[in-house]
Structures are given as structure tokens and as C-alpha cells.
Amino acid sequence: MGKLSVAVVGLCAALSASAQETPAEFTRQVPLSVSGNGPWYRLELPLAVQLNAAQADLSDMRVFNAAGEPQAYALSRQSSQRTESRTVTEVKWFPLYAADTRETLPGVVMKTTTEGTLVEIKPSTAAKPGKQVLRGWVLDASAIKAPLQQLSLDWSLEQEGFQRFSIEASDDLQHWQAWDDGQVARLSFADERVEQHDVSLPGQSARYLRLVWQGQAAPLLTSAKLVSATSSSLPMPLMWSQPLAGTRLQAGEYSWQLPTGLGVERLRIEMKQPNTLAPVTLAGRNDARQTWQSLSNGLLYRLSQNGQDVVQDQLQLPGQVVRELKMQVDERGGGLGAEAPALRFAVRATQLVFLARGEPPFTLAFGNASVKAANLPLTTLIPDSSAEHLKTLGQATLAGEVAVTSPAAVAAVESGPSWKKLGLWAVLLLGVAALGAMAYSLLRKPPAAR
């Protein structure tokens, strides 16, 4: 009986070892090239990999060496793991004048205190009375030490329409760095007032901001606020998709089906026709059996102003995993047309870090809906996982295209692990039955025979 027990246990152990995951169990396999210092390597997963993963949370990601042995790895999604503290600060503003709306800003003299606080701005030459136009504003952000994330402006109620301006940053009031263009708006629309006050900033620090209106006089500001944020790590960059065709459900209602469940953080709606104005609400869900959940709302527009297009075509989303999107358009603004507009979505990049063991070449494998997550926390994989240390890790890149096998091969691969499980359970049950039969035969023998 002892020999039989040992044999059964040994056979079960062997079958368990043979049931270890292999590259063949995944429908997609892409070779990796590595460079730099190991043994840890980091790979930024392209959007094509995320779209072809069998599981929305990327639980089916694996890395294998040349012998087909799995490597220890971690997934870094810094955008969801970082701790962030946001602060809203009301700042002072100072006017900038020029002779007209097209003239380059004249030289100015700016006075600051010893702490760097701005107290006065005046032209370097005497201004000509009656010929000065308000061209922009300088905001004093010297008291804010954290990176600037958002600008919020309010202005005189009498000045309606779109306000388009450039945003520049400086630490010394002499050298200015272009950041981006900003757009705010106040519109009367169908007996309602539609307002847009916020402008996204690039998340960098600056002591001063200069806002210069383009081709028009600047409005009289009544409020200027800056949102700053400190975080434990910088977010991974956004990756934008190719245009995705949609479906028109009914008048003013459109839907889009994503390739898989994705944590979408931003959308860009295509507006082909000039002079389009569309207040919209956006909803999403991850399954057709679920109810729609509100995700975002905003004002989309493409309008001609001073000979150029003023465009706001993006919506910001909370990053919730969705597979289907639905947009409702208030058609009092004219709608978006009979055809569903094309949509681009952006998801946060994900970094895979693995510990190289065994011989290269290494292979990234994915595409198995039944496997469980095997990734470790980054702090477990790398004892010193500080941002400085992560920058020194070796680099891994895809050395081939993301190939998709035929449906027949996919079905064959996905059925493989199930046969292994059935075989293992069969052997276990046979072993238990054999042990029971031997125990029963021993109990039936007479005492003398025992």
C-alpha cells in the first residue's frame, strides 16, 4: 500500500509540473529584443497589445525565455496607483497692452518683491493715449510650488463668445516657454447660457503664466485660478487609437463598440462640418446586460472665427473600464449629422517589467481568457523600485508584429488546458479509487492472514 501511495503522489506531481503554462497556450506570441543593463527589463505595451489581450486587466500577459519557462513580471499602471493632492489657488493678474490686436507685445517692465511676487507691470516706453488695446494677462503663480494642472478663468459678463489665447510660462519674467493654446467660451444657446472656463495645463511648474489673445482684444478678467497637484509618480502617457466607426441609434444618439474592455481616459470626436456646436452627454457600459452609466458631458464645437477654426473636440473620462459608449447630442445646436462621427479613444500606457531568467530570446505571450493573473507587485519584483532606479532598467521592445492566429488554432489552444485539467482529475480519482480498493481488501482478510 505504501508503494502505491508513493506512485500515485509522484504521478500527480509529474502531471502538475506538465500542466505549467507554455507559450503554445496563448494565441499571440511576439519576440522581444532587450538592451541595456539587466536582469530587469521594462517594456511599454503598445496599444495593439492591449487591444488584442483576452482579458481587460491584462491578466493574460506572460513572458517566456528560449526554453519556454515563464518569467517573473509586474505590470506598472502608475496612473491608477499614484497618490495625488490637488490644490486650487486664486492668483493675481496683471494686464498687457499693445497698439492693436495684431502687434507684437511691446517691451514691459515687471516689478517683483524679493520673494518673487509680481507687483506691477508697465510698458517700457510711454503709452500713447487712446491707442492701447488689452492684449492679455500675466498671472502670478510664484506662491505655487507644485506642477500646474489646470487654469480656470472668469471674465466680464458683457463679453460673450469664444476666447482663444496662447499660454506661455516663465520663471524670471524674461524668458518665456510656449506651453499650449487655450480656449474658453461663454455662449447664449437656446435660452440657456453655456460656459467653458477650464483649460488643461501640461503638469509643469512655473512662477508666471502669460496669456496672449490672438487676433482679438482680451476680455476683462474677474477671476483666475490655478489647480496644482503633487503626486508620488508621473502618469504614463496616453496612447490614441485609430478612428473608430460608430452607429446612429436615433436622432442625436450614437454608439461605438470598443475592441475590448478598456479604461478610456479621453475621447476625440470628429467634426467634419464647420460651424458645428454640440452640447453632449456620454455614457458607457462593459456589458450589454448592464445599464448605462454616465461618464462625462461637455460642449463640442468647430467654429470659424477671425478666419480660422476654433475647435474643442475632446471629452475627458474617469478611466472606468468600458466596452461600449453612447453619446446623446442636444440637437438644438444643429447636431452632428445623420452619420455617426468617427471617434478616437485614449488609454493610459502600461509598462511590463520582467526579471530575465534563463537564455534569450524572450517572448511576450498573451491571448488566453482562462488563465489567472500571475503578475507580482512591482515592489516585490524589484526591492528598490524607486523612480530613479526604474529609469536605469534595461529596455525591451517588440521585435515583431502582433500576429493573430486563425480561429481554428485559437479554439484548439483554448481547449488544451481543459484536457489537461480533466486528465489530472481522472488520475487523482483513479489513485483514490486504487487506495480505497487496497484498504477494502486488507480489511476483508481474516486476522491470521493479516
Side-chain angles (χ1 to χ4, degrees), residues 84 133 218 222 238-239:
E84 184 175 82
V133 176
T222 59
L238 289 174
M239 300 187 298

Side-chain angles (χ1 to χ4, degrees), residues 58-124:
L58 306 183
S59 292
D60 55 324
M61 291 291 136
R62 298 291 188 272
V63 176
F64 295 96
N65 61 16
E69 298 170 331
Q71 309 291 286
Y73 75 98
L75 292 173
S76 176
R77 301 184 183 93
Q78 294 177 335
S79 61
S80 60
Q81 294 177 354
R82 76 183 189 276
T83 57
E84 184 175 82
S85 174
R86 294 171 65 87
T87 304
V88 180
T89 305
E90 189 143 3
V91 297
K92 293 182 179 180
W93 59 91
F94 299 83
L96 293 172
Y97 289 95
D100 56 50
T101 59
R102 299 188 181 278
E103 179 187 339
T104 303
L105 284 175
V108 295
V109 176
M110 306 186 188
K111 294 183 179 180
T112 62
T113 65
T114 55
E115 293 81 14
T117 302
L118 192 59
V119 294
E120 183 182 1
I121 294 181
K122 61 181 181 180
S124 58

Side-chain angles (χ1 to χ4, degrees), residues 316-362:
Q316 193 162 353
L317 275 65
Q320 177 181 333
V321 175
V322 293
R323 192 181 295 265
E324 190 176 357
L325 296 168
K326 183 175 71 171
M327 187 171 70
Q328 183 73 47
V329 180
D330 188 336
E331 293 207 313
R332 291 179 295 177
L336 293 178
E339 299 292 331
L343 172 146
R344 293 175 184 261
F345 57 86
V347 298
R348 193 66 62 177
T350 300
Q351 193 173 79
L352 184 148
V353 181
F354 70 94
L355 177 61
R357 178 176 59 88
E359 296 298 321
F362 298 98

Side-chain angles (χ1 to χ4, degrees), residues 282-444:
L282 191 78
R285 62 185 181 184
N286 197 31
D287 190 285
R289 295 169 294 181
Q290 295 178 349
T291 57
W292 293 99
Q293 296 184 349
S294 177
L295 297 178
S296 179
N297 62 76
L299 176 65
L300 304 178
Y301 52 81
R302 178 185 172 186
L303 301 170
S304 297
Q305 188 178 34
N306 299 323
Q308 60 181 342
D309 276 351
V310 181
V311 179
Q312 168 56 36
D313 58 357
Q314 293 191 26
L315 294 173
Q316 193 162 353
L317 275 65
Q320 177 181 333
V321 175
V322 293
R323 192 181 295 265
E324 190 176 357
L325 296 168
K326 183 175 71 171
M327 187 171 70
Q328 183 73 47
V329 180
D330 188 336
E331 293 207 313
R332 291 179 295 177
L336 293 178
E339 299 292 331
L343 172 146
R344 293 175 184 261
F345 57 86
V347 298
R348 193 66 62 177
T350 300
Q351 193 173 79
L352 184 148
V353 181
F354 70 94
L355 177 61
R357 178 176 59 88
E359 296 298 321
F362 298 98
T363 301
L364 175 69
F366 54 99
N368 187 326
S370 62
V371 296
K372 296 182 179 179
N375 56 298
L376 298 170
L378 189 59
T379 53
T380 301
L381 183 71
I382 307 178
D384 177 17
S385 57
S386 62
E388 292 74 17
H389 187 204
L390 291 178
K391 293 179 182 178
T392 66
L393 301 184
Q395 295 278 349
T397 57
L398 298 186
E401 298 294 329
V402 178
V404 181
T405 56
S406 64
V410 172
V413 169
E414 291 184 349
S415 64
S418 298
W419 285 110
K420 285 185 177 181
K421 291 179 181 179
L422 290 175
L424 180 58
W425 277 109
V427 170
L428 288 173
L429 292 175
L430 288 174
V432 172
L435 289 174
M438 178 165 283
Y440 179 74
S441 64
L442 289 175
L443 291 174
R444 285 179 58 86

Side-chain angles (χ1 to χ4, degrees), residues 190-228:
D191 299 328
E192 297 179 8
R193 175 168 284 175
V194 179
E195 300 187 2
Q196 179 180 319
H197 295 269
D198 300 332
V199 177
S200 295
L201 298 178
Q204 301 177 26
S205 297
R207 296 177 65 83
Y208 311 100
L209 295 183
R210 184 167 69 180
L211 315 179
V212 180
W213 266 248
Q214 302 169 0
Q216 65 182 113
L220 294 174
L221 292 186
T222 59
S223 173
K225 298 177 183 178
L226 289 170
V227 178
S228 58

